[in-house]
Amino acid sequence: MRQSLARELSNLIERGRDRQLRLAVTGLSRAGKTAFLTSLVYQLRHAGLEARLDLLPAAREGRLLGAQRVAQQDLGVPRFPFDEAMLALDDSPPRWPEPTRGISELRLHIRYRPQRGGLLGGLGRDSATLTLDLFDYPGEWLLDLPLLDHDYLSWSTGQQTSLSPERRTLASGWLDAVADLDPAAAADEGELARIAQHYAEALRAAREAGFADLQPGRFLLPGDLDGAPVLQFFPLPGLDVDDRQRLETLPEDSVYHTLARRFAYYQQHIVRPFYQEHFRRFDRQIVLVDVLGALNAGPERFEDLSRALATLMQSFDYGKRSLISRLFSPRIDRLAIAATKADHVTPEQHVNLVSLLEALLGEPLKDLRFADIPVKAFSLASIRATRAHEVEHQGKHAPALRGTTQDGEETLVFPGEVPVRLPRSDFWTRQGFAFHAFRPLSREARGDGLPHIRMDAALDWLIGDKLT
Amino acid sequence: MRQSLARELSNLIERGRDRQLRLAVTGLSRAGKTAFLTSLVYQLRHAGLEARLDLLPAAREGRLLGAQRVAQQDLGVPRFPFDEAMLALDDSPPRWPEPTRGISELRLHIRYRPQRGGLLGGLGRDSATLTLDLFDYPGEWLLDLPLLDHDYLSWSTGQQTSLSPERRTLASGWLDAVADLDPAAAADEGELARIAQHYAEALRAAREAGFADLQPGRFLLPGDLDGAPVLQFFPLPGLDVDDRQRLETLPEDSVYHTLARRFAYYQQHIVRPFYQEHFRRFDRQIVLVDVLGALNAGPERFEDLSRALATLMQSFDYGKRSLISRLFSPRIDRLAIAATKADHVTPEQHVNLVSLLEALLGEPLKDLRFADIPVKAFSLASIRATRAHEVEHQGKHAPALRGTTQDGEETLVFPGEVPVRLPRSDFWTRQGFAFHAFRPLSREARGDGLPHIRMDAALDWLIGDKLT
């Protein structure tokens, strides 16, 4: 009896020693993934020293001893370039780190002292280690999930109807090129490659113009697949789902069947492997959203971001989607969503920013709650670029921000109010909001550490329970 | 009985109709792979029209009807960019096509009339189709084959001794960086990444300087693996194979074991998959060699090319190598080796060029003949850039070449004699050979078609027997 108790205790200690958490960070491009991960690593590494993490109990109680980067598990995945990111921030003038492309990975050992009354603390252990695997991947990859619910015909017809007037203008080169393509004609490889290039250019132009709802995601970051037929398909205008029977009888080498084969290959060899090899192994996830950027870009982009986020969040809502749950059964047990760049509005607006984020994700959040996945919304600044000021103007006190623009000019700005709900048309006509892009604080200006807003709150939600 | 004969005949016809050949083209970088493939596709497509293919019987006899590009099989492999290559050649001024990176693929349907007396001809068929799958991959990948015979320790010690004085100078940055690295110390990810970057830079510098014997091959074209730990290893100077026992007892997180794990991962996930997924499925292979370029670059490069080719050819000599034959069992039944850019020497030197190529590949050729793999040596120019002239000088007739240099100057040159055997030291001191880089002929200068030297002879060896 005593022996079995000893064995149980030993198992418990072992499990404690081996504790491991896989935390994934995603967001659409320019949402701030690289800055978030850089700050996360920095803050944990400097816990108890320069890093201020008062909202993370283990840090506040002096039990967090720091973190060290160690060898990652999957040698075939690029390492998250933390050193390069810090070099950019420490440069003069300071620069934002280069955005990552594709997936990257980093493993941290976090040392901490368990709570006295806690399970491990009670065992008299001085310190414990949490192994934190961090993953960073483009949110655009999650936008490809709905592709799996389609075959080529249904996807093709769906894509047609979703083009807004401005997106149609940006895609005019492709629309011209595809107009005369006959689905029944024998496929000409060169012609399909040319039209596909127009399609990829239309997607890139839309991204440049601030749109987020872009499919297929890999067309924007082809990597080693550049020039491969799998990235050379596109929707066929004028198709109707009622044409299915007629289309199915077309010859195997027709334009229609050639594009359909490529679509199926993309599903099988690009979309599925990401879910199977990576996504379903994440324990926790944070989704970063550049709400302020979209607010600044006007109603059409804001609408588009809302649609893209709804699509993206479906990946986490596996309860409802039997196809996905059967295929991938992800094990994410906690989700955070965060509006980034909160330092670009004055502090009293942060509450509004969280409300707006929750409004933007209204439907997906309801689904997640129904699926019983704990989710929490934040506003944060991974790496602070401004300082809050108060300005007296005609006898009134007004909140303002001081920061350095990308051109190197030190400015004082009044960004205005963040709407607390999804903005109605009069918000856009009033143009009540002006977003400025600032560069990071210089080493001198930021002092010790890497100032942030609520990184500690996000950390507490994402890993705090593992540090007790 | 009659029915079974009918069935046999029908099978025969079917087999005829489905005939298929997988032809791979390789060579070290700048050997002329892209020009060769471009010309090959062009010549077959224009057979019976502008293309002159007198050494290919099917063409000479007017039975070759042309070729058409059709959809390739593996949608995940980049398509060989034939159209882009032709655009470059047709540009004004004409340019050599951009070199390909990694593997690429292209499928041709070749239409021909079977010989009257032949099997298919006897069946009264008007025309038949040969499906030709073309693959193009970097010869550098084959240089990685010997890695599979090693573990990290034996590879590491072997790489040390193979560095020539000039290679050591080119690698000095890496040698400095690695000098103080203790194999027993705990691995620092950042430090290993930095030293590995120096190592990759040393390889790139060596390639720029004209060296060919470079390992590991993927360090030169990392693609999507850029920044991944699998491409962050390097030899450890000062190790000795006798240290094995001591090294094995080092901690798992030591520099030594960390590098050894990455080496093993590289073997498993980079080298093997190429042989398993591609190499062993090739039916025929041509290896292109820039003999003239190496001859021009001096004895150390020439030696180095010889070593690299010996290594590269081992991939085909599977008979002797039980490890390889067990793992991959390639089915290559015919091999061609070709000295490219033959138009850069005067025509009477072509015989010497072939002799020199055979001398350069002396040992590998003996092994291949022993393994009973039919192999033939050629000198050729895929796309002719010069015209042969005869010049009278002091009453003597001397052969010369006329071409346009890369700077756009039209010149008359006397490249000199190609040695018929491996050059001895006095060849190098005499400097008897001067190689000029020419740009392609303009559209006007080249007239109809794409002039070449002995592409038809190479085609006859590689596919001629399938066109009877």
Side-chain angles (χ1 to χ4, degrees):
Chain A
M1 183 67 182
R2 179 178 284 184
Q3 219 181 4
S4 100
L5 186 68
R7 204 185 311 126
E8 288 226 329
L9 271 177
S10 144
N11 278 346
L12 202 64
I13 294 171
E14 277 312 305
R15 249 189 289 152
R17 184 175 291 152
D18 291 345
R19 263 183 319 165
Q20 193 180 324
L21 193 65
R22 297 168 70 90
L23 169 61
V25 178
T26 198
L28 299 169
S29 68
R30 290 185 282 223
K33 295 186 289 295
T34 306
F36 180 85
L37 260 174
T38 304
S39 178
L40 185 153
V41 174
Y42 182 95
Q43 309 302 347
L44 289 174
R45 186 149 174 73
H46 294 77
L49 302 168
E50 302 87 48
R52 296 209 46 185
L53 299 169
D54 296 341
L55 300 178
L56 179 62
R60 187 177 58 229
E61 294 157 12
R63 296 186 291 104
L64 191 53
L65 306 175
Q68 196 170 30
R69 279 177 291 161
V70 295
Q72 71 195 52
Q73 271 198 306
D74 188 343
L75 302 181
V77 172
R79 180 188 298 112
F80 177 77
F82 174 74
D83 292 318
E84 289 81 344
M86 287 307 299
L87 279 176
L89 292 172
D90 290 346
D91 209 356
S92 82
R95 294 174 287 113
W96 291 108
E98 285 289 311
T100 50
R101 303 164 63 85
I103 191 166
S104 70
E105 180 174 350
L106 190 126
R107 173 172 273 196
L108 282 183
H109 274 167
I110 303 175
R111 301 283 293 168
Y112 66 101
R113 262 195 297 274
Q115 281 174 309
R116 276 279 149 239
L119 196 58
L120 295 170
L123 294 169
R125 294 189 59 196
D126 267 353
S127 70
T129 301
L130 172 68
T131 299
L132 181 63
D133 283 314
L134 297 163
F135 299 87
D136 153 40
Y137 65 93
E140 281 78 2
W141 291 4
L142 300 182
L143 297 184
D144 277 347
L145 180 77
L147 282 180
L148 295 179
D149 283 341
H150 285 284
D151 63 6
Y152 175 66
L153 180 57
S154 65
W155 177 75
S156 195
T157 50
Q159 289 293 301
Q160 295 311 307
T161 53
S162 74
L163 280 187
S164 67
E166 195 179 341
R167 286 284 301 273
R168 287 192 80 84
T169 310
L170 291 166
S172 61
W174 169 68
L175 286 165
D176 286 350
V178 80
D180 292 331
L181 189 66
D182 177 5
D188 173 332
E189 292 274 298
E191 190 183 12
L192 295 187
R194 262 191 312 280
I195 300 176
Q197 205 171 333
H198 280 293
Y199 190 67
E201 273 159 26
L203 289 178
R204 273 193 293 272
R207 186 180 56 180
E208 285 307 306
F211 288 97
D213 192 13
L214 306 167
Q215 265 182 25
R218 294 302 167 102
F219 282 36
L220 294 163
L221 282 174
D224 287 348
L225 290 171
D226 203 11
V230 60
L231 298 193
Q232 294 175 345
F233 65 91
F234 43 82
L236 274 171
L239 291 192
D240 192 291
V241 278
D242 296 338
D243 300 335
R244 183 177 302 278
Q245 252 185 326
R246 182 182 63 83
L247 290 165
E248 287 303 324
T249 61
L250 292 177
E252 274 305 293
D253 69 347
S254 63
V255 164
Y256 175 77
H257 280 298
T258 302
L259 295 178
R261 269 194 303 276
R262 294 177 184 183
F263 178 84
Y265 190 98
Y266 187 87
Q267 292 179 313
Q268 285 294 336
H269 293 86
I270 311 287
V271 185
R272 268 169 215 252
F274 168 68
Y275 283 92
Q276 281 163 343
E277 290 163 25
H278 297 289
F279 186 80
R280 69 169 179 171
R281 293 159 65 212
F282 300 148
D283 299 310
R284 292 177 182 185
Q285 170 77 53
I286 181 166
V287 180
L288 305 176
V289 186
D290 182 12
V291 180
L292 296 172
L295 205 57
N296 200 45
E300 202 176 327
R301 262 71 152 191
F302 198 82
E303 264 300 298
D304 178 84
L305 175 68
S306 169
R307 221 172 17 246
L309 287 175
T311 304
L312 185 152
M313 298 294 282
Q314 287 178 7
S315 294
F316 306 108
D317 176 23
Y318 47 88
K320 218 176 81 187
R321 301 168 58 81
S322 63
L323 167 72
I324 307 308
S325 103
R326 209 162 8 93
L327 274 177
F328 313 122
S329 51
R331 61 181 200 196
I332 289 167
D333 67 357
R334 200 173 271 200
L335 187 65
I337 52 172
T340 51
K341 311 183 188 177
D343 59 331
H344 286 54
V345 290
T346 45
E348 86 291 349
Q349 297 296 320
H350 292 174
V351 175
N352 290 14
L353 187 52
V354 174
S355 300
L356 180 60
L357 176 67
E358 287 180 319
L360 194 58
L361 289 168
E363 290 307 309
L365 285 178
K366 283 190 200 95
D367 292 336
L368 286 169
R369 281 184 184 130
F370 183 78
D372 201 19
I373 300 169
V375 53
K376 203 164 176 177
F378 297 86
S379 72
L380 57 81
S382 308
I383 298 168
R384 219 181 158 132
T386 66
R387 276 163 296 181
H389 275 258
E390 196 146 287
V391 172
E392 217 186 293
H393 182 61
Q394 300 177 326
K396 277 183 177 171
H397 288 268
L401 295 176
R402 189 181 288 283
T404 307
T405 62
Q406 298 284 15
D407 311 329
E409 220 169 309
E410 172 123 8
T411 5
L412 191 73
V413 295
F414 306 85
E417 280 192 20
V418 176
V420 71
R421 280 187 206 86
L422 291 184
R424 286 178 310 187
S425 55
D426 62 334
F427 172 86
W428 302 111
T429 47
R430 274 190 295 116
Q431 297 223 336
F433 186 72
F435 180 87
H436 291 74
F438 294 108
R439 70 185 186 198
L441 296 175
S442 66
R443 274 206 85 143
E444 302 74 44
R446 75 177 196 237
D448 287 340
L450 200 58
H452 61 85
I453 298 173
R454 276 183 296 281
M455 277 298 288
D456 43 1
L459 278 171
D460 184 33
W461 174 248
L462 292 168
I463 64 169
D465 59 324
K466 302 289 181 186
L467 301 174
T468 54
Chain B
M1 182 69 185
R2 179 177 284 185
Q3 218 179 8
S4 101
L5 186 68
R7 204 186 310 127
E8 289 226 328
L9 272 176
S10 145
N11 279 346
L12 203 62
I13 294 172
E14 278 311 306
R15 248 190 290 152
R17 185 175 292 151
D18 291 345
R19 263 182 321 165
Q20 193 180 326
L21 194 66
R22 297 168 69 90
L23 169 61
V25 178
T26 197
L28 299 169
S29 68
R30 288 186 284 224
K33 295 185 290 296
T34 306
F36 179 85
L37 260 174
T38 304
S39 178
L40 185 153
V41 174
Y42 182 94
Q43 310 300 348
L44 289 174
R45 187 150 174 69
H46 293 77
L49 301 168
E50 303 87 48
R52 297 209 46 183
L53 300 169
D54 296 341
L55 301 178
L56 179 62
R60 188 177 57 230
E61 295 158 11
R63 298 187 290 104
L64 191 53
L65 306 175
Q68 197 170 30
R69 280 177 289 159
V70 294
Q72 71 195 52
Q73 272 199 306
D74 189 342
L75 302 182
V77 171
R79 180 189 298 112
F80 177 77
F82 174 74
D83 291 318
E84 290 82 344
M86 286 307 299
L87 279 177
L89 293 172
D90 289 346
D91 208 357
S92 82
R95 294 174 287 112
W96 291 108
E98 286 287 311
T100 50
R101 302 163 65 84
I103 191 165
S104 71
E105 181 174 350
L106 189 125
R107 172 172 275 197
L108 284 182
H109 275 168
I110 303 176
R111 299 285 292 169
Y112 67 100
R113 264 195 296 273
Q115 281 174 310
R116 276 279 149 236
L119 196 56
L120 294 171
L123 293 171
R125 295 187 59 196
D126 267 351
S127 69
T129 301
L130 172 68
T131 299
L132 181 63
D133 283 313
L134 297 163
F135 299 87
D136 153 41
Y137 65 92
E140 282 77 3
W141 291 3
L142 300 182
L143 297 184
D144 278 347
L145 180 76
L147 282 180
L148 295 179
D149 284 339
H150 285 283
D151 64 7
Y152 175 67
L153 180 57
S154 65
W155 177 75
S156 194
T157 51
Q159 288 293 302
Q160 294 311 305
T161 53
S162 74
L163 279 188
S164 67
E166 196 179 341
R167 288 283 302 270
R168 288 193 78 83
T169 310
L170 291 166
S172 61
W174 169 68
L175 286 165
D176 286 350
V178 79
D180 292 331
L181 188 67
D182 177 5
D188 173 332
E189 292 274 298
E191 189 182 13
L192 295 187
R194 263 192 310 281
I195 299 176
Q197 205 172 334
H198 280 294
Y199 189 67
E201 274 159 24
L203 289 179
R204 273 194 292 273
R207 186 180 56 179
E208 284 307 304
F211 288 96
D213 192 14
L214 306 167
Q215 263 183 26
R218 294 303 168 102
F219 282 37
L220 294 163
L221 283 173
D224 287 348
L225 290 172
D226 202 12
V230 60
L231 297 192
Q232 294 174 345
F233 66 90
F234 43 80
L236 273 171
L239 292 192
D240 192 292
V241 277
D242 296 338
D243 299 336
R244 185 177 299 277
Q245 251 186 325
R246 181 181 62 83
L247 290 165
E248 287 303 325
T249 60
L250 292 177
E252 275 304 292
D253 70 346
S254 64
V255 164
Y256 175 77
H257 280 298
T258 302
L259 294 177
R261 268 194 303 276
R262 293 177 183 182
F263 178 84
Y265 191 97
Y266 187 86
Q267 291 178 313
Q268 285 293 335
H269 293 86
I270 311 287
V271 184
R272 268 169 214 253
F274 168 67
Y275 282 92
Q276 282 162 344
E277 290 163 25
H278 298 290
F279 187 80
R280 69 167 180 174
R281 293 159 64 212
F282 300 148
D283 299 311
R284 292 179 181 183
Q285 171 77 52
I286 181 165
V287 180
L288 305 176
V289 186
D290 182 12
V291 180
L292 297 172
L295 205 57
N296 200 45
E300 202 176 326
R301 263 71 152 192
F302 198 81
E303 264 299 299
D304 177 86
L305 175 68
S306 168
R307 219 170 20 243
L309 287 175
T311 304
L312 185 152
M313 298 294 282
Q314 287 179 8
S315 293
F316 306 108
D317 175 23
Y318 48 88
K320 221 177 82 187
R321 301 168 58 80
S322 62
L323 166 72
I324 307 308
S325 101
R326 208 159 11 91
L327 274 178
F328 314 121
S329 51
R331 59 182 201 194
I332 288 165
D333 67 359
R334 200 173 270 201
L335 188 65
I337 53 171
T340 51
K341 311 183 189 178
D343 59 333
H344 285 55
V345 289
T346 46
E348 85 291 349
Q349 298 296 320
H350 292 174
V351 175
N352 290 15
L353 186 52
V354 174
S355 301
L356 179 60
L357 176 66
E358 288 180 319
L360 194 58
L361 290 168
E363 291 306 309
L365 284 179
K366 284 192 198 92
D367 292 336
L368 286 169
R369 283 186 183 129
F370 184 80
D372 201 20
I373 301 170
V375 53
K376 202 164 175 176
F378 296 87
S379 72
L380 57 81
S382 308
I383 299 168
R384 220 181 157 132
T386 67
R387 276 164 294 180
H389 273 258
E390 196 147 285
V391 172
E392 215 187 293
H393 182 58
Q394 301 179 328
K396 277 183 176 170
H397 288 268
L401 294 177
R402 189 181 289 282
T404 306
T405 62
Q406 298 286 14
D407 310 329
E409 221 170 308
E410 171 123 9
T411 6
L412 189 74
V413 295
F414 306 85
E417 282 191 18
V418 176
V420 70
R421 279 187 208 86
L422 291 184
R424 285 176 313 186
S425 55
D426 61 335
F427 172 85
W428 301 112
T429 48
R430 275 189 294 117
Q431 299 222 332
F433 185 73
F435 180 87
H436 292 74
F438 293 108
R439 69 184 186 198
L441 296 176
S442 66
R443 274 206 85 143
E444 301 74 45
R446 73 175 197 239
D448 286 340
L450 200 57
H452 61 84
I453 298 173
R454 275 184 296 281
M455 275 300 287
D456 44 0
L459 278 171
D460 184 33
W461 174 247
L462 292 168
I463 65 168
D465 60 324
K466 303 287 180 188
L467 301 175
T468 54

